[in-house]
Amino acid sequence: MIRCALCCCRPVGTFSIGQGFWGPRVAVRIQVLGSLRAWHGRQEIVLGPPGRRTVLGLLVLGGGETVPTRELVDALWGDRPPRSAVNVLQTHVKHLRHLLEPDRPPRTDSTVLPHLSGGYAMNPDAVDVDLLRVRRLLSEATGAHRDGDTARVAELLATALSSWQGQPFADIPLLATHPKVVALAAERRDVVARYGDAMIATGGAAEILPVVAEAAAAEPFNEPVQARLIRAYHAAGQRLNAFQVYHDVRDRLVEELGVDPGPELRAAHATLLNNVPITVSGPAPHVPRQLPAEPPGSPAGSTNCPAWTNWCRSPVRAGR
């Protein structure tokens, strides 16, 4: 279980680290890393039927870019749209604007969901979206990595990971196979890998072991993931467990795939055999233990829930 706080938020039009996610200064918040949900301050918005939620989800996935009308129609109805498809789409957008901008004066342009050149967009400066916030954190973590601040990398990645509440857009079947939604699973796996490496490098191997072990259990033939678990056990002083992982994965590879361990697994094993200490680049980062206060009905930050566990073990989680 990732036990870090979601401590990242921004007022409308800006982004800053260190504000409480459920702080009062952000007018509209949208969650997509889990079921699609939205809030005005601490009041949850009832978004309405699946079609309307699908439109909002597609606009969020656009990340501020225009999503053409045709793409929205295709997502809703495939290759057999009704003759009223464009009108229905316009009605969905109208209702979403009313829900997200209840105080907007009549006959004025929408600042949240503007109409732009043959389609619609979501203005990322007018709402706080968990997915966009996570990507800003990942960008900052990349900068911290370039600067050699591995402890800061770990803190930023822990905060980013705490935003995932389960399968993205879990309540919108129409988006389950959308390429951008499928790609989010791979994106999270990459973040888990980076977080694991950063924690091991800063002396936090014992703390990260549950996360790394969960990833390894979900991908038993993924050699980099298994090698990371070996390194984590080794760095945490659990060499017997590390040897057991190596022998188990070696046996699986030989017996089920007919291949020997690759270079990354062999390197982790060699380091283990020679008992070479895992290099620690600095003090382990402080990982907060408590989540910030949440509004009624908001999702918990813990990943220790059945929906989360099922998603982590689902077939889509292939590769690194």
Side-chain angles (χ1 to χ4, degrees), residues 187-263:
E187 188 171 341
R188 182 186 179 274
R189 288 194 298 272
D190 181 65
V191 177
V192 169
R194 292 170 61 188
Y195 180 45
D197 290 340
M199 288 293 284
I200 293 169
T202 53
E207 189 167 7
I208 197 62
L209 263 173
V211 178
V212 178
E214 179 185 52
E219 304 180 78
F221 296 99
N222 187 314
E223 295 191 46
V225 171
Q226 300 299 323
R228 185 171 295 108
L229 180 57
I230 292 171
R231 291 196 300 272
Y233 274 129
H234 183 187
Q238 301 181 36
R239 295 183 71 233
L240 288 178
N241 287 336
F243 277 116
Q244 187 62 56
V245 171
Y246 175 77
H247 291 302
D248 287 347
V249 69
R250 181 194 60 188
D251 292 345
R252 277 198 303 273
L253 291 170
V254 171
E255 294 172 7
E256 300 188 39
L257 301 182
V259 298
D260 292 320

Side-chain angles (χ1 to χ4, degrees), residues 78-92:
D79 57 1
R80 301 186 66 181
R83 298 175 67 178
S84 61
V86 173
N87 288 336
V88 173
L89 173 62
Q90 291 171 345
T91 300
H92 283 319

Side-chain angles (χ1 to χ4, degrees), residues 2-278:
I2 299 167
R3 305 173 61 90
C4 54
L6 181 57
C7 59
C8 207
C9 188
R10 63 187 175 110
V12 173
T14 64
F15 178 81
S16 62
I17 300 295
Q19 299 169 5
F21 175 53
W22 301 113
R25 291 195 290 168
V26 180
V28 178
R29 302 176 185 86
I30 297 176
Q31 169 192 291
V32 301
L33 299 175
S35 296
L36 176 62
R37 302 174 73 180
W39 291 264
H40 262 301
R42 294 178 177 270
Q43 181 64 46
E44 184 162 7
I45 301 169
V46 179
L47 293 172
R52 189 181 305 161
R53 301 167 72 84
T54 299
V55 171
L56 179 59
L58 288 166
L59 296 179
V60 170
L61 286 172
E65 299 294 327
T66 301
V67 182
T69 297
R70 173 51 57 188
E71 183 176 328
L72 294 168
V73 169
D74 288 345
L76 289 171
W77 293 285
D79 57 1
R80 301 186 66 181
R83 298 175 67 178
S84 61
V86 173
N87 288 336
V88 173
L89 173 62
Q90 291 171 345
T91 300
H92 283 319
V93 174
K94 175 184 176 181
H95 284 296
L96 286 169
R97 286 170 171 170
H98 176 72
L99 291 169
L100 300 175
E101 303 172 273
D103 299 323
R104 180 168 59 92
R107 294 183 294 278
T108 59
D109 292 336
S110 172
T111 58
V112 175
L113 302 177
H115 182 270
L116 300 171
S117 60
Y120 299 93
M122 185 208 67
N123 179 3
D125 290 325
V127 293
D128 181 34
V129 180
D130 57 355
L131 175 59
L132 302 183
R133 186 181 340 104
V134 162
R135 286 177 172 164
R136 289 185 177 98
L137 286 165
L138 299 183
S139 178
E140 189 171 345
T142 298
H145 178 74
R146 284 196 301 265
D147 295 339
D149 190 348
T150 309
R152 180 62 175 157
V153 171
E155 290 173 355
L156 290 165
L157 295 179
T159 302
L161 283 169
S162 72
S163 290
W164 262 274
Q165 307 299 326
Q167 181 177 355
F169 301 97
D171 59 331
I172 306 180
L174 285 172
L175 294 181
T177 58
H178 191 285
K180 290 184 178 179
V181 175
V182 174
L184 288 174
E187 188 171 341
R188 182 186 179 274
R189 288 194 298 272
D190 181 65
V191 177
V192 169
R194 292 170 61 188
Y195 180 45
D197 290 340
M199 288 293 284
I200 293 169
T202 53
E207 189 167 7
I208 197 62
L209 263 173
V211 178
V212 178
E214 179 185 52
E219 304 180 78
F221 296 99
N222 187 314
E223 295 191 46
V225 171
Q226 300 299 323
R228 185 171 295 108
L229 180 57
I230 292 171
R231 291 196 300 272
Y233 274 129
H234 183 187
Q238 301 181 36
R239 295 183 71 233
L240 288 178
N241 287 336
F243 277 116
Q244 187 62 56
V245 171
Y246 175 77
H247 291 302
D248 287 347
V249 69
R250 181 194 60 188
D251 292 345
R252 277 198 303 273
L253 291 170
V254 171
E255 294 172 7
E256 300 188 39
L257 301 182
V259 298
D260 292 320
E264 191 162 354
L265 267 177
R266 294 198 304 270
H269 185 232
T271 300
L272 189 60
L273 280 174
N274 297 321
N275 200 19
V276 178
I278 302 294

Side-chain angles (χ1 to χ4, degrees), residues 281-315:
S281 61
H286 170 68
V287 182
R289 297 299 184 186
Q290 285 295 105
L291 288 168
E294 300 168 342
S298 65
S302 169
T303 60
N304 190 22
C305 64
W308 173 253
T309 302
N310 290 339
W311 181 58
C312 286
R313 294 175 179 172
S314 68

